[in-house]
Amino acid sequence: SSNVVLTNPDMLHVGILPSHERWADFLHRLEYVVVDEMHTLRGIFGTHVAMILRRLRRIADLYGSNPTFVFGSATIGNPEELASALCGLDVHVIDDDSSPVGEQTVALWNPPLTDLDSNRRRSSLVESTDLFLDLVRRDVHTIAFARSRKATELMYRWARERLPTTERDRVAPYRGGYLPEQRRRIEARLFSGQLAGIVATNALELGIDVGGLDAALLTSFPGTISAFRQQAGRAGRGTDESLVALVAGEDALDQYFMTHPAELFTRPPEAAVINPENPLVAEAHAACAANELPLTIEDREILGTAIEEAANRLVQAGHLKLKEGRLYWARRQKPAPQVNIRTSGGAAFVIVGPEGAIGTLDEERAFRDGHEGAVYLHEGETFVVDAMDTRLREIRVTPKMVDYYTQPKSEKLLEVIESEARGRIGPIGHHYGTVRVETHVVGYQKRKLGSREVLDTVYLDLPPTVFETEGIWFTIPEQVLIDADIDPMAVPGALHAAEHAGIALMPLMAICDRWDIGGLSTPWHPQVGGATIFIYEAYPGGAGISPVAFRAGRDHLEATVEAVRSCPCHSGCPSCVQSPKCGNGNDPLDKAAAIRLLDTILT
């Protein structure tokens, strides 16, 4: 009987739409659907939300309504394109900005060099923790953003250890993977002003007016201009003065902005992309839609053309049955609760401690971060993984204080399924299409906290993960390697270094994070018949990043070689060609050969 319902995509997906009969009167009267923070609806999550909004249109039509969709965002580069893709309708852009703005001081803080030869800098986590503590001690209410769950937990633990016992309850961590009651407890303390400082992932990046925050610390560049502006906007809401400090990491993109600071303030927000044609997402929502209301051929008009093939696959699998020209859901179990709208993979793994569940890991992260022996951090406590149960989808952990962290080692195979577009950049081939990726976590390294020294290498026996996705690839003829004066023994290092740098600079071209994409380089790929560099999307079915990357083409390679060449290190470092997620331990890498290769391609 409500006139207004405030909800989120998750509840719409798993609560309202599957039970639409209970909402019949409301849906009959539905006039407006307001979607805030549109810039966050990108990649796989945005692709799922697009299908949920189309399912809503379909059910609204059943009850005789045709709602108007209103999208809001302060930081989006392609509002018309994204909004239209999300709802499947034509849209009109209104771009007047009358929001109140206070004076904001932005500091670009590059940690000091600790080793001139290797261009290593003091850890951005350590530097940010020092700044965070200084501000909290001065009673400057501060939010510190970290790039990962592990980094969030480390910063919180270090800060808590250095505060007096009476002050420790004034700081808290906040990230995904906490149980709902844990998040609500932290949020209540934040909104009431009990916390002087909070360390968070981008889970608190959205336009939440948390009130009373004076400063925002960004522990390394958050991946996109859009995210940078969102995180900076958490401090000084309204017309209050505020402080923002971007503490640079060693990553190539961070150092690019340290040497090109104007880009942070003059570069327009990136284009956000989604992929409603993702076959796995379409299949998941075809099941949900059929459970809500039997599917007909006319549903292509609202749900999109990918829904037809998805429905056919569900019929073949016995999940849908045909009756009088309509497709009905054929299973007892409702499909919506089984669909995680933040991934195109399977259900999440539950992390189980001695006293029960303490969090979750999605399927993509589970084999990388939840394998036996992995170090897992949660609310400032350190746990070590005892076992991973792939059948029950559980990761069992035990509290344990250790002086090391773990880094997985993996092997990768990549097969080209289909080339959908091709072109040339100078003398090399340039392709976009579908690839199959097989990743096998074969072991992990124990690295000492602080020094990163390798303490031990442990080998594992885990099943591989296999998925199809979209990607781009560059095919490099042998003559190009000869013209670049690259010795045959140096080819793997040259390709590997160029691959890492290309991945690091990809967020300049589209709204994505380097963790959204993966890569593989090889001196000989059997399908190509020569040297190849692949950059692919790390989600099954793809999230729409690859077409944007393909169109960027030459601009992408030019930004890549500029970033590598301008780095003052001698042989390669995290600011240019080393990657924090490399499954081969950043070996081999040849910075000089990578520069010669890219220069030869672009000449």
Side-chain angles (χ1 to χ4, degrees):
S1 60
S2 299
N3 288 332
V4 176
V5 172
L6 304 179
T7 186
N8 57 25
D10 306 77
M11 189 61 189
L12 187 58
H13 160 64
V14 81
I16 297 174
L17 290 176
S19 306
H20 59 83
E21 299 92 344
R22 300 181 183 183
W23 296 82
D25 185 57
F26 179 82
L27 291 167
H28 171 69
R29 296 179 286 111
L30 184 61
E31 292 186 67
Y32 296 100
V33 178
V34 181
V35 183
D36 200 9
E37 308 294 351
M38 177 175 64
H39 57 277
T40 65
L41 305 180
R42 61 178 178 85
I44 285 297
F45 178 50
T47 300
H48 277 291
V49 173
M51 297 305 298
I52 293 168
L53 294 180
R54 293 168 193 225
R55 282 164 50 201
L56 175 61
R57 285 179 53 205
R58 177 172 177 259
I59 294 300
D61 182 68
L62 172 69
Y63 292 103
S65 65
N66 182 25
T68 297
F69 286 78
V70 182
F71 296 88
S73 174
T75 53
I76 186 69
N78 58 334
E80 183 174 6
E81 177 187 7
L82 180 61
S84 181
L86 285 167
C87 65
L89 298 166
D90 293 333
V91 301
H92 171 68
V93 175
I94 301 169
D95 56 6
D96 296 328
D97 184 1
S98 58
S99 56
V101 179
E103 183 177 305
Q104 189 173 75
T105 300
V106 181
L108 304 189
W109 190 286
N110 211 4
L113 287 166
T114 57
D115 188 327
L116 292 174
D117 292 333
S118 63
N119 198 41
R120 299 308 295 258
R121 294 183 179 274
R122 189 169 188 251
S123 163
S124 59
L125 282 182
V126 175
E127 200 84 358
S128 285
T129 304
D130 288 349
L131 292 171
F132 180 70
L133 282 166
D134 186 61
L135 290 166
V136 168
R137 285 167 178 156
R138 296 168 185 262
D139 203 34
V140 177
H141 286 225
T142 302
I143 183 168
F145 286 102
R147 292 296 304 279
S148 68
R149 297 178 178 187
K150 185 177 291 186
T152 299
E153 294 288 354
L154 281 172
M155 280 187 65
Y156 167 67
R157 189 171 81 180
W158 294 340
R160 185 178 169 85
E161 287 172 351
R162 291 165 59 184
L163 284 170
T165 305
T166 55
E167 295 289 306
R168 289 177 180 174
D169 285 343
R170 300 191 71 211
V171 297
Y174 189 97
R175 62 170 177 81
Y178 285 174
L179 299 177
E181 56 268 27
Q182 294 170 324
R183 293 199 300 271
R184 299 296 91 79
R185 187 172 64 247
I186 296 167
E187 288 165 6
R189 293 170 62 206
L190 176 63
F191 298 152
S192 67
Q194 294 176 37
L195 295 177
I198 187 164
V199 185
T201 60
N202 60 1
L204 275 182
E205 177 185 304
L206 307 188
I208 303 170
D209 190 350
V210 294
L213 287 177
D214 308 304
L217 297 176
L218 282 58
T219 308
S220 77
F221 181 67
T224 65
I225 297 292
S226 176
F228 169 76
R229 295 181 183 175
Q230 285 291 326
Q231 292 185 6
R234 293 316 101 214
R237 302 291 280 175
T239 58
D240 295 340
E241 293 184 19
S242 60
L243 168 69
V244 175
L246 171 59
V247 182
E250 293 181 310
D251 183 271
L253 197 54
D254 286 60
Q255 294 304 312
Y256 177 86
F257 284 115
M258 290 298 112
T259 56
H260 301 76
E263 290 277 309
L264 275 174
F265 307 102
T266 59
R267 191 179 185 89
E270 302 86 350
V273 290
I274 62 173
N275 180 18
E277 300 298 310
N278 182 305
L280 295 180
V281 175
E283 196 170 300
H285 290 278
C288 296
N291 182 61
E292 293 156 6
L293 180 70
L295 288 170
T296 67
I297 195 71
E298 288 78 19
D299 287 325
R300 292 179 303 180
E301 301 299 317
I302 293 178
L303 297 178
T305 55
I307 210 75
E308 188 171 3
E309 288 187 16
N312 287 336
R313 292 193 296 273
L314 290 171
V315 170
Q316 296 300 317
H319 297 304
L320 297 182
K321 62 180 179 181
L322 180 64
K323 183 179 179 181
E324 298 178 352
R326 307 176 78 183
L327 291 175
Y328 291 77
W329 179 244
R331 303 296 188 191
R332 287 186 177 182
Q333 190 176 40
K334 289 183 177 294
Q338 312 308 313
V339 178
N340 182 345
I341 67 172
R342 282 164 174 78
T343 175
S344 54
F349 281 70
V350 178
I351 301 163
V352 182
E355 298 180 6
I358 62 172
T360 61
L361 273 178
D362 60 49
E363 192 171 44
E364 285 85 4
R365 292 176 183 265
F367 286 96
R368 187 177 72 233
D369 299 334
H371 56 77
E372 183 180 338
V375 174
Y376 179 76
L377 299 175
H378 184 83
E379 288 195 310
E381 288 190 64
T382 304
F383 296 82
V384 174
V385 176
D386 296 320
M388 169 191 278
D389 189 321
T390 55
R391 183 179 64 85
L392 295 177
R393 303 188 82 79
E394 286 185 353
I395 297 169
R396 291 185 282 277
V397 300
T398 299
K400 191 174 183 180
M401 288 298 297
V402 294
D403 62 352
Y404 62 86
Y405 64 95
T406 50
Q407 184 171 352
K409 291 177 64 67
S410 61
E411 295 177 350
K412 199 176 294 180
L413 296 173
L414 193 146
E415 176 187 356
V416 175
I417 302 300
E418 181 183 7
S419 177
E420 299 181 28
R422 65 189 65 193
R424 299 196 69 79
I425 301 176
I428 69 169
H430 185 210
H431 302 258
Y432 153 64
T434 305
V435 297
R436 179 180 291 118
V437 182
E438 178 177 320
T439 304
H440 195 178
V441 177
V442 296
Y444 64 94
Q445 291 179 331
K446 294 181 179 179
R447 290 179 172 261
K448 191 171 182 62
L449 286 171
S451 69
R452 305 169 187 160
E453 174 191 355
V454 177
L455 302 175
D456 192 14
T457 300
V458 180
Y459 293 94
L460 299 168
D461 183 17
L462 293 172
T465 57
V466 183
F467 62 93
E468 290 187 11
T469 187
E470 294 186 331
I472 61 170
W473 59 97
F474 306 95
T475 56
I476 304 166
E478 184 178 5
Q479 188 59 48
V480 174
L481 299 172
I482 294 171
D483 293 344
D485 193 26
I486 300 175
D487 183 270
M489 295 298 291
V491 170
L495 298 173
H496 198 194
E499 171 212 329
H500 280 184
I503 290 172
L505 272 294
M506 183 66 78
L508 281 176
M509 310 301 154
I511 287 191
C512 67
D513 187 277
R514 74 181 302 161
W515 297 91
D516 294 332
I517 45 184
L520 174 72
S521 54
T522 174
W524 179 265
H525 192 276
Q527 289 178 284
V528 174
T532 313
I533 297 174
F534 292 92
I535 298 177
Y536 62 85
E537 300 180 46
Y539 300 102
I545 299 167
S546 296
V548 176
F550 180 75
R551 290 194 294 270
R554 189 179 187 90
D555 290 343
H556 179 206
L557 292 188
E558 287 175 346
T560 299
V561 72
E562 180 187 352
V564 177
R565 183 185 290 111
S566 63
C567 183
C569 74
H570 175 66
S571 58
C573 69
S575 298
C576 56
V577 299
Q578 291 183 11
S579 169
K581 55 180 286 192
C582 180
N584 294 315
N586 287 299
D587 183 55
L589 291 174
D590 192 324
K591 173 183 175 178
I595 293 173
R596 294 200 304 275
L597 172 61
L598 293 169
D599 279 342
T600 301
I601 292 169
L602 296 169
T603 299

